[in-house]
Amino acid sequence: MSSHVRARWGALALVAALGFGACSASATQAPAAGGGGAAPAGSAAGAQAVDYSSVSPSTTIGKNDKAAVTGAGSTAIYPWLSAVAQIYQQQVAPGVAVNYQAIGSGGGISQFTAKTVDFGASDIYLSDQQEQQIGVPVLNIPMIHWAAAMTYNLPNFSGEIRFSPATIAGIFLGKITKWNDPALAADNPGVTLPDIGITPVHRSDGSGTTMNFTSFLAGTDATWKSQVGAGLSVNWPVGPGGKGSAGVTALVKQTPGAIGYVELSYALQNNLPVGSVKNAAGNFVKPTLASTTDAVAAAVPNAPADLRFLVVNPPASYPNAYPIGASTWVLLYQDYPASKATEVKAMIDFLWWAIHNGQNYAAQVDYSAMAPALVTKAEAALKSVTVGGKPVLP
Amino acid sequence: MTAQVGAVRAELGRHRPRFGEPAFRGLVVLASLTVLAIIAGLVVVIATTSMAGIAHNGIGFLWGTTWDPVHSVFGALPFIYGTLLTSITALILSMLIGVGVALFLVELAPSWLAGPLGFMIEMLAAIPSVVYGLWGIFVLAPWLRDYVEVPLHDTLGWLPFFSGYPIGIGNLAAVVVLTIMVLPTVAAVSRDVVSAVPGSQREAALALGATRWETIRMGVLPYARSGILGAGILGLARGVGETMAVTMVIGNSPTISLSFLAQGYTMASVIANEFTEATTNLYRSSLIEIGLLLLVVTLVINAAARLLVWRVAYTASSRSLAA
């Protein structure tokens, strides 16, 4: 038994190392970078106006739980999930080990479909077809958020560039090819933009950041919607692709005139120049942890009950919301077999803690917390989980 | 003498194990069958998991030029083209350099230089490919852009090979990185082949009054030709399958362009890029179909190269017989 557990931890350590390599989100330095890195794009403290442990008192703290919980999927959720799992084990439930394999959303969905893990995690919710394939009712619960930040390389230019959605679509469709194009000039009155070519850089690997960036463009630009569409990987009309956030950043940094999108935590930790993007209210908003949580808050009132919704293009009633937000969903089965009762109780207790107290740690890894209104909906979803037909939570 | 033979025979007769021979035979047959089983298993799994893709994409997969996961349109031609363009160009370049290095090491270099230089070239093969990729993206690509691509574009931009907008990342960077990665294989194998040429070949040429170059051209190279081609096959196999370094520098854009300044894509790269986040069955199956295609391309290249080696070896031997 103990050797089995040890082997598992060995596997976790290995997967953790691979996960860092794959998502390249520099999560190892996250806690230290949280303060310093947040400076260029707004204060991290802004996102923490709410103490999530008090949103709703945690009725069940599973301090007597003893189980190893296994999950697999998204690399994006990994920095936060691993930090929160560690803190939960240290401070709340010493007997609960969360073994999360950051193998990518696609791998997570296939393992979840094959029922080899207790939970999955994906940067996009399950489609109707995928849910049918699983064959049993499932839950999609968004638990952490981030944003796609526009970063660029303009030599001898230190100001901030502002982009309207149509301009971004034009650039990535290959219609806007110069930085001094009238469309960019109109977005940036009073700014002298250089007469150099634009090289739009995208993520070559499948990515939740691409998913939300392309959903944002499909939601605002009809040409984009019909020609390219939205997905974890799409058929890019122009421009080179870099592997991972690190690959995109390297291409942007080395190519004068380049523009790319990277996940916000990566931009913050590497002090990349980021542009502001125009939202439905007509404001140009910088991507910050707070403006991303605002985008989540904006999306919640219209969110369907199954929580399958994107946090892009928030309505005009949220003037400070950044329009390209992103989520990672935790995937659960509605009902677990009775033989799994111990693991499932430990898992649900942990997730309950994660959507409350755990949200306080999001800023430490440069991620955005859930909006309080979403926490309430996630609570209801967690309460609906059953083991052998009986609810896990009171 | 006869007595000794008799003693050995007696010794063997006494100690010969009854089951040793069949057991040994069984072990080596098992080892060989394991290799066959692994290959067969690989082919079966890849073929069955790519069935959904094959059914949906049809034969048009081979010449389709659009790769659009959103609309489930999958065509593999840009990846096949990129793989062949980069690996064959890199092979030609590394053959030129590698054979030169081999000839220098064996025929010309003083021994105090040949040892360390040979060691250094073998060291190139020990560098992990992700390191080549990082070097490619941070050092090589900007350098290529400023000192090679921009001048090429300015002077020869009217040629289709150098048209487009030079950004460093692209086919040229992939070719250069691949050349360096293939070079140690080609150089090391060629060196062993050239040094295996019997001294009598050289002595005969020298005795007829040949210069150093004539000796190499007439005495050494014809003898080593099939072996050098074999070195090329090994190098090509390395080039076709190389994934990480190429992914980092080729630009990952599924376009078919003659230009070395343009961005491209290879079969191995698209699998590495998209497999982990391929969330639908059809998408994943189409990526595996690319893997199947890569297997087929590798087999075809190897078969063609093997034929070439046989042909060269056959012509060489018949010519020497005729002479």
Side-chain angles (χ1 to χ4, degrees):
Chain A
M1 178 62 201
S2 73
S3 75
H4 176 65
V5 170
R6 218 173 293 133
R8 259 186 155 162
W9 274 105
L12 174 63
L14 179 65
V15 165
L18 289 172
F20 282 128
C23 74
S24 307
S26 308
T28 39
Q29 49 152 308
S43 85
Q48 295 308 313
V50 184
D51 175 10
Y52 286 84
S53 48
S54 68
V55 167
S56 170
S58 300
T59 48
T60 38
I61 296 234
K63 71 171 140 240
N64 297 322
D65 290 344
K66 267 194 179 53
V69 177
T70 53
S74 159
T75 51
I77 200 176
Y78 181 77
W80 172 76
L81 191 67
S82 62
V84 167
Q86 200 185 359
I87 295 163
Y88 183 71
Q89 195 181 27
Q90 281 167 0
Q91 298 182 355
V92 183
V96 176
V98 178
N99 174 3
Y100 182 72
Q101 306 173 14
I103 55 174
S105 303
I109 290 173
S110 52
Q111 292 226 12
F112 185 71
T113 307
K115 304 188 176 65
T116 52
V117 288
D118 300 324
F119 71 96
S122 169
D123 297 341
I124 178 62
Y125 51 76
L126 296 172
S127 66
D128 291 343
Q129 197 199 348
Q130 284 168 329
E131 292 196 351
Q132 265 172 15
Q133 217 165 33
I134 296 170
V136 294
V138 295
L139 295 166
N140 299 267
I141 310 175
M143 287 208 181
I144 197 73
H145 303 278
W146 74 97
M150 306 304 303
T151 182
Y152 46 81
N153 175 353
L154 279 178
N156 309 319
F157 182 88
S158 57
E160 177 195 316
I161 307 278
R162 315 200 308 174
F163 301 97
S164 62
T167 313
I168 299 176
I171 291 172
F172 280 85
L173 281 169
K175 287 178 184 163
I176 296 175
T177 56
K178 290 273 185 188
W179 278 98
N180 60 357
D181 188 277
L184 270 162
D187 288 346
N188 297 277
V191 177
T192 313
L193 289 161
D195 178 20
I196 57 172
I198 302 182
T199 305
V201 180
H202 60 261
R203 283 278 290 263
S204 62
D205 51 332
S207 142
T209 315
T210 300
M211 170 76 214
N212 290 283
F213 179 66
T214 51
S215 300
F216 154 73
L217 290 178
T220 51
D221 192 280
T223 318
W224 186 276
K225 189 175 182 182
S226 60
Q227 192 187 325
V228 184
L232 293 159
S233 292
V234 301
N235 182 24
W236 295 95
V238 287
K243 187 162 165 53
S245 297
V248 170
T249 306
L251 277 183
V252 170
K253 274 190 171 169
Q254 285 164 19
T255 313
I259 180 171
Y261 59 91
V262 292
E263 59 194 81
L264 178 59
S265 61
Y266 194 84
L268 292 176
Q269 286 159 14
N270 292 282
N271 277 317
L272 304 179
V274 291
S276 52
V277 180
K278 192 177 178 181
N279 64 14
N283 294 331
F284 286 91
V285 179
K286 277 205 105 168
T288 62
L289 303 183
S291 66
T292 306
T293 300
D294 265 2
V296 180
V300 172
N302 302 318
D306 61 8
L307 300 182
R308 296 193 293 174
F309 67 101
L310 297 178
V311 290
V312 296
N313 297 314
S317 48
Y318 287 78
N320 300 319
Y322 181 70
I324 329 176
S327 319
T328 299
W329 284 260
V330 165
L331 312 174
L332 300 173
Y333 307 105
Q334 185 74 66
D335 183 55
Y336 287 81
S339 59
K340 279 247 161 202
T342 322
E343 284 91 347
V344 174
K345 180 173 184 307
M347 174 175 72
I348 300 298
D349 285 345
F350 164 66
L351 292 176
W352 184 270
W353 189 84
I355 62 168
H356 295 103
N357 308 53
Q359 297 296 319
N360 288 331
Y361 299 96
Q364 281 188 14
V365 285
D366 290 317
Y367 280 74
S368 296
M370 302 162 78
L374 180 58
V375 173
T376 316
K377 297 205 172 198
E379 281 176 354
L382 285 180
K383 279 183 173 168
S384 74
V385 175
T386 56
V387 166
K390 292 182 195 125
V392 180
L393 290 172
Chain B
M1 190 67 186
T2 333
Q4 275 177 350
V5 172
V8 170
R9 269 205 191 122
E11 180 82 6
L12 281 174
R14 254 201 307 279
H15 291 284
R16 179 167 287 173
R18 292 183 68 176
F19 302 108
E21 285 294 316
F24 172 72
R25 192 188 165 81
L27 271 179
V28 291
V29 167
L30 190 69
S32 321
L33 287 180
T34 311
V35 174
L36 282 182
I38 289 172
I39 294 175
L42 201 73
V43 171
V44 166
V45 169
I46 291 180
T48 49
T49 45
S50 60
M51 270 310 159
I54 293 172
H56 175 268
N57 302 322
I59 188 77
F61 188 67
L62 294 178
W63 52 82
T65 54
T66 305
W67 183 263
D68 186 346
V70 178
H71 301 106
S72 293
V73 179
F74 300 104
L77 192 62
F79 309 111
I80 302 172
Y81 174 81
T83 303
L84 294 180
L85 175 80
T86 52
S87 55
I88 290 175
T89 316
L91 178 70
I92 293 169
L93 291 177
S94 63
M95 287 286 273
L96 290 175
I97 303 171
V99 174
V101 168
L103 289 174
F104 175 74
L105 287 177
V106 177
E107 304 290 333
L108 299 171
S111 59
W112 59 266
L113 182 61
L117 189 60
F119 178 71
M120 298 277 266
I121 288 165
E122 280 161 20
M123 277 296 293
L124 283 180
I127 298 174
S129 76
V130 66
V131 174
Y132 279 111
L134 285 173
W135 173 79
I137 200 169
F138 288 112
V139 182
L140 178 70
W143 184 87
L144 274 180
R145 179 191 62 216
D146 294 342
Y147 298 104
V148 179
E149 294 187 349
V150 169
L152 272 178
H153 180 67
D154 289 348
T155 51
L156 296 169
W158 47 274
L159 281 172
F161 306 111
F162 305 111
S163 61
Y165 185 70
I167 62 167
I169 298 290
N171 290 331
L172 183 62
V175 165
V176 172
V177 166
L178 266 185
T179 302
I180 299 170
M181 297 183 73
V182 170
L183 181 60
T185 309
V186 174
V189 176
S190 302
R191 182 192 58 188
D192 295 347
V193 168
V194 170
S195 62
V197 173
S200 57
Q201 288 283 116
R202 299 181 185 86
E203 285 159 13
L206 289 171
L208 289 172
T211 61
R212 180 73 65 99
W213 159 239
E214 285 164 343
T215 306
I216 291 172
R217 187 168 59 89
M218 298 187 298
V220 177
L221 281 182
Y223 200 94
R225 186 152 33 180
S226 63
I228 289 173
L229 271 174
I233 300 174
L234 287 176
L236 192 60
R238 172 115 165 94
V240 167
E242 176 46 43
T243 309
M244 188 48 91
V246 173
T247 306
M248 291 169 84
V249 298
I250 199 168
N252 301 316
S253 173
T255 46
I256 297 177
S257 169
L258 277 178
S259 175
F260 282 96
L261 308 188
Q263 286 78 52
Y265 223 145
T266 67
M267 289 189 268
S269 297
V270 72
I271 298 171
N273 269 323
E274 299 188 3
F275 192 77
T276 49
E277 301 288 333
T279 50
T280 65
N281 262 346
L282 176 60
Y283 184 14
R284 190 162 43 237
S285 184
S286 299
L287 282 169
I288 297 171
E289 195 180 349
I290 295 248
L292 184 66
L293 211 54
L294 184 56
L295 199 69
V296 172
V297 168
T298 315
L299 283 178
V300 168
I301 288 177
N302 272 307
R306 187 55 55 89
L307 279 177
L308 192 67
V309 169
W310 277 340
R311 206 178 152 71
V312 166
Y314 175 75
T315 356
S317 65
S318 58
R319 190 184 296 147
S320 65
L321 279 178

